[in-house]
Amino acid sequence: MEADGEAEARLLLQEARESIEAARSYRRELEQRLRGLHQARKQIRESATLTRDVLEQHFNDLKGTLKKLLDERLMSLLQEVDAIEQDSIKPLDECQKLIEHGVSTADDLLREGESAVHGDVGQQNEKLCSFTKKALHIQLDSLPEVPSLVDVPCLSAQLDDCLLTILKNQIFKHGTVASRPPVQLEEFIEKPGGILVRWCKVDDDFIPQDYRLQYRKSTASHFEDVYVGSETEFIVLHIDPNVDYQFRVCARGDGRQEWSPWSVPQIGRTTLVPHEWTAGLEGYSLSSRRNIALRNDSQSCGVLYSKAPTYFCGQTLTFRIETVGQPDRRDSLGVCVEQQNGYDSLQRDKAVCISTNGAVFVNGKEMTNQLPAVTSGSTVTFDMEVVQLGPSSNEGGNFKLRVTISSNNREVVFDWRQGRCCSDVQDSWKSH
């Protein structure tokens, strides 16, 4: 009975410990969700504050610009009124001067005539004769023409009240508030020295014309443009391994000039180091990043291997041929299971490759199927997947590699038997 009691006590103690661990795990999960809620609430608050600031600034700018435009238009119309007034008054002023001159002349003639009529009798005839001649010379029957009121301008302002209606309708439709951007980042896929970024639109009513992708290191303060175009994915290269990068994307609607709001920034990283050629091999010159190789004029001949086994099954390896020199039957590019020195070509055992004339070699043997010849501007891709041949055991299973080589819109698919271990496959390329 005592043994049974001790066993029961140990069982209860074990159950208690398991319950405590489950409670701790449950609390950690709840705390993680609380942090997620805090981040969500923070995003809502901060984005709402930012949106308010943007709206207020935008409409204040609009009001200032609109007032400036109205003042400029008012000044233009007032200047037009001034110009019409001055041009219309000028002939009236000239006519007034002419009439005033005639009135003055008539006053002088009246005074002279009255003096001649009522003057001294002895000089009356002489004065009357002089007055008569002067009156005939002045042409008292000639009067200047004064324009009628219908012939002179009568200024008025024509103001279309529909402008207010148009402005009102446009203002009421101007601007929208979206609860989320029309496009969002969807997926990050690790690539050697890069990240494949994919995005999608989440607003069914939004018709995108172009997308704009930006990125920055998490420690940087400014985003940089890395892609602008119509595609919904892009490989961002020259990414440092094991470093966090922030990405964001926006879009431009069909027929519009302005960009949409940015998506919520998300963090992406790659743990895969970039492919690099082995430096120091005589006969090849490498670029500063060691991802481009060019065969020089050296007479030395050999296979240029990658610096490390950075290619793994399940990835896509792409070679791009920039230039092609004098072809050689040994020239080829491909992948191999292990580095073997002493060979001048990949056309050997434990390697698959394609030669410059398009011939495919597997373990040193040329296949019947052939791809197009490799020329300047060509791209050649290698895809490999592990195919299990039988049940797995503690020592490992029996596998083969399914290899797909593609070039110039054609491909060759075959199975490659290289024993049980296939995880250390590395890329190798003899450049040309």
Side-chain angles (χ1 to χ4, degrees), residues 4-5 8 20 61 74 177 191 199 214 283 330 340 351 353-354 370 398 406 412 414 417:
D4 292 341
E8 183 178 358
I20 291 173
D61 292 344
L74 174 60
V177 176
K191 296 292 182 179
W199 56 89
Q214 290 188 337
R330 298 168 297 176
Q340 297 181 4
C353 62
I354 175 176
Q370 185 167 327
N398 189 16
S406 304
V412 172
F414 55 90
R417 293 291 301 275

Side-chain angles (χ1 to χ4, degrees), residues 53-63 174:
D53 293 341
V54 169
L55 287 172
E56 291 175 358
Q57 183 64 46
H58 177 73
F59 277 85
N60 285 334
D61 292 344
L62 277 182
K63 286 190 287 187
H174 180 67

Side-chain angles (χ1 to χ4, degrees), residues 30-31 41 92 100 124 131 171 258 318 343 421 432:
L30 291 177
E31 289 174 347
R41 183 177 288 105
L92 297 184
E100 288 175 348
Q124 187 176 29
F131 170 74
I171 289 173
E258 71 278 5
T318 301
Y343 287 90
C421 182
H432 43 94

Side-chain angles (χ1 to χ4, degrees), residues 16 35 71 88 90 92 165 177 212 261 275 280 297 331 396:
R35 288 192 292 270
D71 289 342
S88 301
K90 184 177 180 179
L92 297 184
T165 303
V177 176
R212 181 182 179 187
H275 297 306
D297 296 333
D331 286 340

Side-chain angles (χ1 to χ4, degrees), residues 130-398:
S130 174
F131 170 74
T132 303
K133 289 181 179 180
K134 194 172 185 178
L136 290 173
H137 179 71
I138 292 176
Q139 296 180 350
L140 295 176
D141 60 344
S142 177
L143 296 173
E145 183 177 355
V146 176
S148 63
L149 295 180
V150 296
D151 294 329
V152 296
C154 180
L155 278 71
S156 63
Q158 297 179 351
L159 302 174
D160 194 348
D161 292 337
C162 71
L163 176 62
L164 293 177
T165 303
I166 295 174
L167 285 176
K168 181 179 178 181
N169 292 335
Q170 291 297 321
I171 289 173
F172 283 170
K173 292 188 296 184
H174 180 67
T176 58
V177 176
S179 60
R180 56 180 54 86
V183 290
Q184 291 285 4
L185 294 169
E186 184 179 31
E187 186 180 16
F188 297 101
I189 299 178
E190 290 183 287
K191 296 292 182 179
I195 300 175
L196 173 60
V197 184
R198 287 177 176 156
W199 56 89
C200 62
K201 74 183 188 78
V202 294
D203 185 350
D204 294 336
D205 297 328
F206 183 77
I207 303 176
Q209 176 180 331
D210 291 308
Y211 297 99
R212 181 182 179 187
L213 177 66
Q214 290 188 337
Y215 83 120
R216 70 179 181 186
K217 282 187 177 181
S218 294
T219 56
S221 56
H222 299 290
F223 281 92
E224 298 179 14
D225 284 339
V226 70
Y227 173 76
V228 175
S230 59
E231 300 296 328
T232 56
E233 66 178 37
F234 182 75
I235 298 180
V236 183
L237 299 176
H238 311 318
I239 294 293
D240 295 332
N242 302 308
V243 174
D244 288 341
Y245 287 81
Q246 280 191 327
F247 295 86
R248 65 181 186 180
V249 66
C250 66
R252 181 164 51 197
D254 189 20
R256 303 183 70 90
Q257 296 297 322
E258 71 278 5
W259 293 98
S260 72
W262 290 104
S263 65
V264 177
Q266 295 188 36
I267 293 178
R269 62 158 43 200
T270 181
T271 58
L272 305 176
V273 297
H275 297 306
E276 292 184 12
W277 297 119
T278 302
L281 181 63
E282 186 179 357
Y284 297 91
S285 301
L286 305 183
S287 63
S288 58
R289 291 183 177 271
R290 299 176 182 174
N291 61 340
I292 300 176
L294 179 68
R295 191 167 64 188
N296 53 38
D297 296 333
S298 174
Q299 297 299 318
S300 176
C301 187
V303 176
L304 178 63
Y305 292 95
S306 62
K307 181 180 178 181
T310 51
Y311 174 62
F312 299 90
C313 295
Q315 299 177 359
T316 297
L317 178 65
T318 301
F319 296 96
R320 185 176 64 188
I321 292 81
E322 299 289 348
T323 59
V324 176
Q326 185 66 30
D328 187 291
R329 64 177 182 81
R330 298 168 297 176
D331 286 340
S332 54
L333 53 89
V335 298
C336 62
V337 174
E338 59 185 18
Q339 180 173 334
Q340 297 181 4
N341 298 323
Y343 287 90
D344 60 0
S345 174
L346 274 181
Q347 301 169 16
R348 60 167 177 79
D349 188 35
K350 295 185 178 181
V352 294
C353 62
I354 175 176
S355 65
T356 52
N357 64 2
V360 177
F361 289 84
V362 180
N363 294 333
K365 297 181 180 180
E366 183 175 354
M367 295 185 62
T368 304
N369 295 333
Q370 185 167 327
L371 292 171
V374 176
T375 59
S376 299
S378 296
T379 58
V380 179
T381 62
F382 288 78
D383 288 279
M384 291 190 182
E385 61 176 331
V386 178
V387 179
Q388 185 172 332
L389 299 179
S392 300
S393 64
N394 294 333
E395 298 180 355
N398 189 16

Side-chain angles (χ1 to χ4, degrees), residues 115-131:
S115 175
V117 172
H118 303 291
D120 187 5
V121 177
Q123 299 179 348
Q124 187 176 29
N125 290 337
E126 183 179 351
K127 289 183 177 181
L128 288 172
C129 182
S130 174
F131 170 74

